Amino acid sequence: MCTYDTETVELEGSAKGPAGWFPVTRAAVYVDHPHHAPFGHTLNIDFADPAQGPSARVAVELTEEAARALIAAITAALDNAPAGLASASASG
């Protein structure tokens, strides 16, 4: 069953695609049939820069378990780093 529910978020970051690095300005997150992963449904995340068109996109298809493990790993990494270290306002 597809939910047709897509969550989008504006981002500041970078991703590497076939043509090299590009800015990531938006992510779309949804549960649907995967294009490649061998499962009936996956949590799909498309990291993109819509201003550059469809070639500036990196897609990820994760099982529910993998998605929840990724959430936990991201939270742990941020919690273990000094507050603000990876903030957009932090100097390089």
Side-chain angles (χ1 to χ4, degrees), residues 39-76:
F39 305 103
H41 290 84
T42 52
L43 176 89
N44 305 315
I45 308 170
D46 295 338
F47 296 99
D49 180 4
Q52 291 190 37
S55 64
R57 174 180 169 265
V58 174
V60 179
E61 300 172 336
L62 303 170
T63 63
E64 180 176 341
E65 297 83 1
R68 292 186 186 280
L70 178 60
I71 292 166
I74 291 170
T75 300

Side-chain angles (χ1 to χ4, degrees), residues 7-60:
E7 300 292 331
T8 59
V9 61
E10 300 299 315
L11 302 174
E12 293 182 73
S14 296
K16 189 172 183 183
W21 287 94
F22 61 92
V24 172
T25 61
R26 183 177 301 156
V29 183
Y30 53 98
V31 175
D32 202 346
H33 299 285
H35 290 277
H36 187 266
F39 305 103
H41 290 84
T42 52
L43 176 89
N44 305 315
I45 308 170
D46 295 338
F47 296 99
D49 180 4
Q52 291 190 37
S55 64
R57 174 180 169 265
V58 174
V60 179

